[in-house]
């Protein structure tokens, strides 16, 4: 295991709530976007970055940066925030080389460190988990006007409907979707309506209609796991979708690693392609599962804070409820 320093940047926790309304069969309402809330959130993201971002000294004033320029009626809310965060990372460069601190060689359109963790509260006093806000449990990718499922949470409505990675989405609620924009337009309606009807075709060219009701479910961050054999070598492989709260990830990671141990796995592949970050405590837990006993007592990582944070002058943190 390679031990490396992890720079702690900042994570915006976006609280999303679904809109509930009565419906007639397949009838979709017009959706109103809360423009004022989004504009305030765009400002808040930048104000937070100005105080807690590791390289905050290189950021412009809020007047010059103008966070509200990322608002667009044609863009979904989370994408607006992601676009702003990406632009923030374009102002911070390594002195001498001019390279971006957060250049992501694997996905150049995403920052290397900064991200958004989406969550919402279930409202139950007995439920201590923050459920990831994807009420249907699916994620899509768009290539050459073809929309396919990238992954499906096994515990979600999509997982229970036996939707699979690679399934192609032809229509949503009767409307053809052949671009990211057309998908997002129908997705926003489905979120507000708490219902989605998909026409899909699988890799065997079999078509079917799938109807899903939005629901709160316990996320399973381990989308897939298996033991691969290559000659005499056994390789553990799992897809880890999100650093969910530690109790949740522990529940699903522990049996995976137990299976690897029972099969005498000697090598490990952790697939983080679609992982959007999450809780540092969970990252610690996963690292400890992977690390051999010989590394006990060694430094796992170190945390770095900007000067303003070190001097206790990040006053904006006093206004944030965690």
């Amino acid at each position: 295991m390679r031990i490396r320093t992890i720079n702690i940047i900042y994570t915006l926790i976006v609280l999303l709530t679904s809109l509930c309304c009565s419906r007639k069969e397949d009838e979709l309402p017009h959706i109103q976007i809360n423009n004022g809330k989004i504009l305030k959130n765009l400002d808040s993201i930048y104000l937070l970055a100005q105080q807690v971002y590791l390289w905050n000294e290189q950021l412009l004033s809020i007047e010059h940066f103008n966070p509200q320029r990322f608002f667009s009626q044609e863009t979904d809310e989370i994408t607006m925030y992601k676009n702003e965060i990406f632009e923030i990372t374009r102002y911070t460069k390594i002195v001498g080389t001019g390279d971006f601190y957060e250049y992501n060689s694997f996905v150049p359109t995403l920052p290397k460190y900064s991200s958004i963790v989406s969550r919402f509260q279930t409202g139950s006093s007995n439920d201590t988990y923050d459920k990831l806000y994807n009420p249907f449990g699916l994620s899509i990718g768009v290539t050459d006007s073809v929309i396919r499922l990238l992954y499906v949470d096994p515990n979600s409505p999509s997982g229970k409907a036996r939707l699979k990675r690679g399934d192609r989405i032809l229509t949503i609620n009767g409307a053809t979707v052949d671009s990211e924009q057309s998908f997002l337009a129908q997705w926003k309606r489905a979120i507000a309506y708490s219902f989605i009807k998909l026409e899909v075709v699988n890799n065997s060219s079999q078509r079917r209609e799938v109807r899903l009701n939005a629901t709160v479910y316990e996320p399973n961050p381990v989308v897939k796991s298996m033991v691969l054999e290559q000659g005499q070598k056994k390789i553990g492989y799992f897809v880890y979708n999100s650093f969910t709260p530690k109790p949740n990830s522990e529940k699903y990671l522990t049996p995976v690693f137990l299976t690897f141990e029972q099969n005498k796995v000697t090598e490990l592949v952790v697939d983080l392609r679609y992982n959007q970050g999450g809780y540092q405590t969970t990252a610690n837990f996963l690292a400890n599962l992977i690390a051999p006993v010989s590394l006990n007592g060694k430094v796992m990582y170190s945390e770095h804070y900007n000067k303003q944070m070190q001097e206790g002058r990040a006053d904006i943190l006093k206004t944030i409820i965690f």
Side-chain angles (χ1 to χ4, degrees):
M1 173 185 175
R2 182 177 65 180
I3 302 177
R4 58 182 179 180
T5 297
I6 299 177
N7 291 324
I8 305 301
I9 316 300
Y10 77 102
T11 303
L12 170 69
I13 305 296
V14 182
L15 303 179
L16 301 177
T17 55
S18 60
L19 305 176
C20 298
C21 58
S22 60
R23 64 175 175 86
K24 296 180 180 178
E25 186 68 23
D26 297 344
E27 182 181 355
L28 300 177
H30 177 67
I31 295 176
Q32 298 292 334
I33 298 177
N34 189 338
N35 298 348
K37 181 197 72 173
I38 295 175
L39 291 172
K40 289 180 180 179
N41 286 343
L42 290 169
D43 283 343
S44 296
I45 290 172
Y46 197 72
L47 290 171
L48 183 64
Q50 283 185 311
Q51 294 198 23
V52 306
Y53 190 54
L54 184 59
W55 302 287
N56 65 334
E57 294 180 351
Q58 297 187 31
L59 297 181
L60 303 176
S61 66
I62 191 169
E63 292 77 18
H64 284 87
F65 183 78
N66 186 19
Q68 296 188 9
R69 63 192 162 103
F70 296 96
F71 176 84
S72 171
Q73 293 282 8
E74 306 301 319
T75 308
D76 74 287
E77 184 176 354
I78 294 298
T79 298
M80 294 183 212
Y81 303 148
K82 288 183 176 180
N83 289 342
E84 179 186 8
I85 290 173
F86 179 78
E87 187 65 19
I88 289 172
T89 67
R90 300 302 90 179
Y91 284 92
T92 56
K93 299 180 180 180
I94 301 173
V95 178
T97 67
D99 297 330
F100 297 116
Y101 279 108
E102 291 211 52
Y103 177 70
N104 186 340
S105 59
F106 294 103
V107 188
T109 56
L110 295 177
K112 188 174 183 179
Y113 305 113
S114 300
S115 63
I116 294 177
V117 176
S118 303
R119 69 175 184 172
F120 73 96
Q121 300 285 355
T122 65
S124 170
S125 59
N126 297 323
D127 193 347
T128 59
Y129 291 117
D130 292 321
K131 309 297 185 182
L132 299 185
Y133 188 67
N134 186 336
F136 304 113
L138 56 83
S139 180
I140 62 100
V142 183
T143 304
D144 297 328
S145 300
V146 174
I147 298 178
R148 294 187 185 276
L149 295 183
L150 294 178
Y151 61 82
V152 172
D153 188 305
N155 291 349
S156 71
S158 296
K160 293 178 180 178
R162 295 177 288 105
L163 289 171
K164 303 291 184 183
R165 171 179 167 83
D167 287 352
R168 180 179 177 181
I169 298 177
L170 303 176
T171 67
I172 296 180
N173 298 325
T176 300
V177 287
D178 55 8
S179 67
E180 184 175 0
Q181 290 70 29
S182 61
F183 174 85
L184 289 174
Q186 294 302 322
W187 179 258
K188 287 191 291 185
R189 285 188 157 198
I191 292 294
Y193 208 39
S194 299
F195 170 81
I196 191 168
K197 180 178 72 172
L198 303 171
E199 183 184 3
V200 300
V201 58
N202 62 20
N203 291 330
S204 300
S205 300
Q206 297 175 319
R207 286 195 182 206
R208 66 180 176 123
E209 182 180 283
V210 178
R211 296 176 179 233
L212 305 174
N213 290 310
T215 186
V216 174
Y217 59 91
E218 181 179 271
N220 181 349
V222 181
V223 178
K224 185 175 184 178
S225 66
M226 64 177 67
V227 175
L228 306 171
E229 295 190 21
Q230 189 177 54
Q232 300 298 316
K233 185 166 52 178
K234 291 188 176 182
I235 305 168
Y237 169 85
F238 69 97
V239 181
Y240 189 51
N241 194 40
S242 177
F243 290 88
T244 58
K246 182 175 175 288
N248 173 262
S249 278
E250 185 174 0
K251 175 179 178 179
Y252 293 101
L253 285 172
T254 300
V256 170
F257 276 82
L258 179 61
T259 298
F260 292 162
E261 183 179 357
Q262 292 172 341
N263 283 272
K264 302 187 186 309
V265 162
T266 57
E267 296 187 20
L268 180 66
V269 177
V270 183
D271 192 337
L272 299 174
R273 279 178 292 177
Y274 309 119
N275 192 296
Q276 291 295 303
Y279 289 79
Q280 183 66 48
T281 53
T282 306
N284 296 347
F285 173 74
L286 177 58
N288 278 311
L289 283 177
I290 297 172
V293 176
S294 60
L295 292 178
N296 284 350
K298 305 287 185 179
V299 175
M300 180 186 293
Y301 62 84
S302 59
E303 296 183 348
H304 295 253
Y305 299 90
N306 63 40
K307 185 177 180 181
Q308 189 169 353
M309 288 277 286
Q310 292 179 36
E311 295 176 351
R313 295 186 292 105
D315 297 331
I316 195 170
L317 295 178
K318 297 177 181 178
T319 66
I320 297 177
I321 301 176
F322 289 99

